[in-house]
Amino acid sequence: DVVMTQSPLPLPVTLGQPASISCRSSQSLVYSDGNTLLNWFQQRPGQSPRRLIYKVSYRDSGVPDRFSGSGSDSDFTLNISRVEAEDVGIYYCMQATHWPHTFGQGTKLEIK
Amino acid sequence: EVQLLESGGGLVQPGESLRLSCEASEFNFVIYAMSWVRQAPGKGLEWVASLSGEGGTTYFDPYYADSVKGRFTISRDRSKNTLYLQMNSLRAEDTAVYYCAKGDWFDSWGQGTLVTVSS
């Protein structure tokens, strides 16, 4: 199975400051068609997960543009340009290139 | 807006069975892959099973996590726009909130249904 490793796990951030989450995979996530199937999800407290980013860098509809994804092959990053209070929650990366699809451990973003 | 509504969770004893349902609306349910993802209390997300869409360009046989293979079955009823997860021989470690998700990239999620396996 592909192991997804996120860092940091707790992420304390000051409101208005940037935040960055790293996600590394144990294998390349480049699919046979050339796409890289790495997604990011946000889970706010008490809510269901919500997808933010798919295929490394494509934002889902309704996702604020302060969220951006980057990376390639096996090294990926989720960036939040200016953290707002509503961004508190747990962020997961997930690979959909290989079966079984696997998630990272989750990074808990909290406000300092 | 995509709507996914899970039901069927509850408290069962080890070894018993349960069937979860996920009623889908506001999208063409038949052509999309569908998945189940679970989250044990206080833990992270774990993919459980995925079922291919019908009539699309990408077909795959149902996939299952090793932890549930042989015990869980994913299926759909096209006429009811409903996804199912039949769970047999339940174990304490199956205790979790079970989410239905659209696609195998999980682009939309339901609100989840809690399954508790305990004697």
Side-chain angles (χ1 to χ4, degrees):
Chain A
D1 296 2
V2 177
V3 177
M4 305 297 289
T5 304
Q6 292 182 226
S7 64
L9 295 185
L11 177 57
V13 185
T14 301
L15 285 173
Q17 292 300 302
S20 182
I21 301 171
S22 170
C23 175
R24 290 192 167 92
S25 59
S26 60
Q27 299 177 32
S28 171
L29 299 186
V30 179
Y31 192 57
S32 54
D33 64 0
N35 284 308
T36 300
L37 306 184
L38 185 283
N39 303 325
W40 289 96
F41 298 85
Q42 175 195 61
Q43 188 174 29
R44 291 171 171 153
Q47 295 187 14
S48 301
R50 163 200 183 195
R51 197 178 69 182
L52 297 176
I53 302 281
Y54 63 98
K55 290 197 293 183
V56 181
S57 60
Y58 293 84
R59 263 192 309 275
D60 275 281
S61 175
V63 174
D65 60 7
R66 64 179 182 275
F67 289 92
S68 63
S70 63
S72 61
D73 197 65
S74 61
D75 193 355
F76 306 95
T77 303
L78 176 70
N79 287 299
I80 309 174
S81 58
R82 294 173 305 279
V83 170
E84 298 187 6
E86 66 178 18
D87 299 336
V88 165
I90 302 176
Y91 292 80
Y92 297 91
C93 60
M94 188 277 286
Q95 66 83 20
T97 299
H98 306 281
W99 293 99
H101 294 347
T102 46
F103 290 90
Q105 319 96 299
T107 292
K108 187 173 186 178
L109 186 150
E110 56 190 30
I111 305 300
K112 280 183 187 175
Chain B
E1 184 182 341
V2 170
Q3 301 283 337
L4 298 168
L5 184 62
E6 301 96 334
S7 60
L11 172 62
V12 295
Q13 296 194 347
E16 292 187 339
S17 299
L18 207 57
R19 189 179 78 160
L20 305 183
S21 300
C22 170
E23 188 174 345
S25 58
E26 305 303 324
F27 69 101
N28 190 343
F29 174 71
V30 170
I31 67 171
Y32 283 94
M34 295 294 295
S35 302
W36 290 96
V37 179
R38 67 184 181 184
Q39 186 170 36
K43 301 297 185 183
L45 300 170
E46 179 190 17
W47 167 78
V48 173
S50 294
L51 182 67
S52 176
E54 300 175 16
T57 56
T58 305
Y59 173 80
F60 55 85
D61 288 330
Y63 281 103
Y64 298 93
D66 284 347
S67 56
V68 308
K69 201 174 294 182
R71 300 187 298 123
F72 289 12
T73 303
I74 186 172
S75 64
R76 76 168 84 208
D77 185 329
R78 299 172 65 190
S79 66
K80 296 182 179 179
N81 270 16
T82 299
L83 179 74
Y84 300 103
L85 185 68
Q86 177 66 43
M87 305 186 295
N88 298 333
S89 303
L90 282 161
R91 306 167 179 167
E93 54 265 36
D94 296 319
T95 294
V97 174
Y98 284 74
Y99 295 101
C100 164
K102 176 172 166 277
D104 64 309
W105 296 7
F106 318 146
D107 54 80
S108 298
W109 298 61
Q111 86 293 344
T113 187
L114 175 62
V115 173
T116 304
V117 185
S118 174
S119 54

